[in-house]
Amino acid sequence: MDKRRVNVIRGKLLSWYAVEARDLPWRRTIDPYAILVSEFMLQQTRVETVLRYYEPFLDRFPTLRALAGAPIDDVLKAWEGLGYYRRAHNLHRAAQVVAGEHAGELPRTIKELRALPGIGPYTAAAIASIAFGLDEPVLDGNVIRVLSRLFRIGGDPAKAKPRDAMLAVASQLTSSGDASHLNQGLMDLGARVCLPRSPRCHECPVACECDAHHAGEETAYPEQPARKRVPHIDVVAGVIWNGEPSTPGSRILIARRRTGDMLGGLWEFPGGRVEEGETNEQALVRELHEELGIETSVGAFLLDIDHAYTHFRMTMHVFHVRHTGGRPRAIECADWRWVSVEDLGDFAFSVADQQVLSALRKMSRRE
Ligand code: SF4
């Protein structure tokens, strides 16, 4: 890209950002820890969702040392509902590493940032440019869309060649200072103007420099890789009672998922996948025996929950279950507890299991 074009795009983008920047709470701070939290939350999650979690999380853990010293259960509880819980584990571990090895100060180089748990190239560059003002380019989904259109960069952006081409132009744009505003300007342009299906080119500050716009091919970029079919699975889960459901003093058995498993560290209503040829009830009895070593009898159906994860969709069939024998053991889980309906809210559950929680609360209010 020639120098004139770099300067024109830089100038127009910075002027636009100065007026149009989204007012986001993590943009009102220069505290590297607060920016670190926002970048972890924004990995794979929309800004609108993060807005509901960011400030309560910082109220609960106002400093890096507060987070580092907190039990992981408290961190997971504050993260409950935000999804991708590996991020919560990584953020907690990253805070502990910074507290232990960097005297509580977030390191300032890309190399040291990349060495922290859960920090990949994007998050390292975002923190380096936004928190420390380093001239580092970032490529997220919004930035990729803008750059691929501005410079008509074809090919699947997940592949090395197109990605390198985008990184090269992003580096040119950010190499003469103001990387923080330029990166965030590109992000905001992608989020508000250069929209995936109907870009608002008439509002775009860099339309005069946009190759895809001149060619009338805005939506041909970035190239969309062929969609893979997302598999669907059926799973069962049991609300396991130690007596009659919802009678005074009755308790529910919950299990904690193993760290390293999907949704690791969260609590769940135990169960598992329905295998071919099994009824839901048979699958539930088998799963509860395998996971906790207990005997059970399956009672009334409670509800079905449909939920989509990144790589699969599931329908979870939830039943009331009676514990009939065997002391629970943590065989395929990390821990277990007998808990009253009122105390379930003290534990961190996945979004799907929170729907079971709501159904139980409604049931208990009715009774
Ligand atoms: Fe996107 Fe249109 Fe602006 Fe090009 S002119 S960057 S396609 S909004």
Side-chain angles (χ1 to χ4, degrees):
M1 187 174 25
D2 65 70
K3 208 164 173 47
R4 179 210 66 84
R5 199 171 177 203
V6 172
N7 287 336
V8 171
I9 295 174
R10 272 179 58 87
K12 287 183 180 292
L13 202 54
L14 286 171
S15 306
W16 178 83
Y17 183 73
V19 178
E20 299 289 343
R22 287 177 291 179
D23 179 26
L24 300 170
W26 46 91
R27 289 182 177 169
R28 295 179 216 134
T29 177
I30 52 165
D31 176 6
Y33 163 67
I35 292 166
L36 174 82
V37 170
S38 72
E39 289 301 333
F40 267 77
M41 288 189 168
L42 288 163
Q43 291 168 1
Q44 296 158 298
T45 301
R46 293 164 57 83
V47 165
E48 294 71 24
T49 307
V50 172
L51 284 171
R52 297 203 304 272
Y53 286 84
Y54 176 72
E55 284 173 328
F57 190 92
L58 286 179
D59 288 344
R60 177 73 188 77
F61 310 108
T63 63
L64 185 135
R65 286 192 190 281
L67 178 62
I72 184 63
D73 278 352
D74 291 2
V75 181
L76 288 171
K77 188 68 193 160
W79 203 272
E80 189 182 44
L82 193 53
Y84 300 101
Y85 295 89
R86 190 175 297 275
R87 294 178 300 174
H89 287 282
N90 281 336
L91 176 60
H92 187 229
R93 280 176 34 230
Q96 290 175 332
V97 173
V98 173
E101 297 176 15
H102 298 277
E105 298 285 331
L106 205 60
R108 287 172 171 258
T109 66
I110 290 282
K111 193 175 167 207
E112 288 171 305
L113 286 167
R114 288 284 310 272
L116 297 174
I119 297 194
Y122 170 81
T123 305
I127 293 169
S129 65
I130 296 168
F132 302 127
L134 302 186
D135 291 344
E136 293 291 339
V138 299
L139 287 186
D140 71 357
N142 285 323
V143 176
I144 284 171
R145 188 164 56 257
V146 172
L147 294 180
S148 67
R149 289 173 176 176
L150 262 176
F151 302 100
R152 279 180 94 188
I153 299 171
D156 177 354
K159 298 266 161 56
K161 205 170 159 200
R163 220 177 165 77
D164 287 349
M166 285 186 236
L167 209 50
V169 291
S171 297
Q172 277 186 281
L173 289 173
T174 51
S175 62
S176 7
D178 264 335
S180 170
H181 288 171
L182 274 160
N183 284 333
Q184 294 181 90
L186 286 166
M187 291 174 195
D188 281 16
L189 193 67
R192 299 174 61 181
V193 177
C194 194
L195 302 174
R197 288 206 194 98
S198 33
R200 297 180 181 152
C201 303
H202 57 285
E203 293 173 24
C204 179
V206 289
C208 61
E209 293 293 331
C210 179
D211 292 342
H213 180 55
H214 291 319
E217 291 185 350
E218 296 91 339
T219 52
Y221 300 89
E223 192 175 296
Q224 298 296 329
R227 284 197 171 217
K228 288 193 192 128
R229 209 178 140 262
V230 181
H232 175 272
I233 61 166
D234 284 287
V235 301
V236 280
V239 177
I240 308 166
W241 297 89
N242 66 347
E244 283 303 315
S246 294
T247 51
S250 56
R251 289 174 181 271
I252 293 169
L253 183 61
I254 57 172
R256 185 174 190 164
R257 299 177 71 92
R258 293 178 291 203
T259 313
D261 286 356
M262 188 182 158
L263 306 174
L266 293 188
W267 292 83
E268 66 170 6
F269 297 96
R273 195 166 173 165
V274 181
E275 301 293 350
E276 209 172 322
E278 280 182 325
T279 64
N280 290 338
E281 288 82 353
Q282 288 166 339
L284 191 48
V285 169
R286 173 185 56 73
E287 283 286 344
L288 297 179
H289 186 72
E290 288 172 4
E291 185 173 341
L292 291 152
I294 54 171
E295 308 308 322
T296 52
S297 79
V298 178
F301 167 77
L302 180 60
L303 81 165
D304 275 346
I305 294 163
D306 290 310
H307 193 72
Y309 292 101
T310 318
H311 301 298
F312 67 94
R313 301 170 59 80
M314 71 157 191
T315 302
M316 184 163 83
H317 311 282
V318 188
F319 293 84
H320 290 287
V321 171
R322 181 77 178 264
H323 175 231
T324 56
R327 186 174 187 276
R329 286 172 288 142
I331 302 170
E332 290 183 0
C333 58
D335 199 0
W336 57 269
R337 299 272 169 82
W338 286 107
V339 181
S340 67
V341 174
E342 298 74 43
D343 291 343
L344 284 171
D346 296 342
F347 297 82
F349 287 92
S350 69
V351 169
D353 275 345
Q354 281 175 50
Q355 294 183 52
V356 183
L357 224 71
S358 302
L360 288 172
R361 286 192 186 120
K362 264 190 214 150
M363 200 178 92
S364 114
R365 274 200 297 273
R366 273 201 306 270
E367 282 155 14

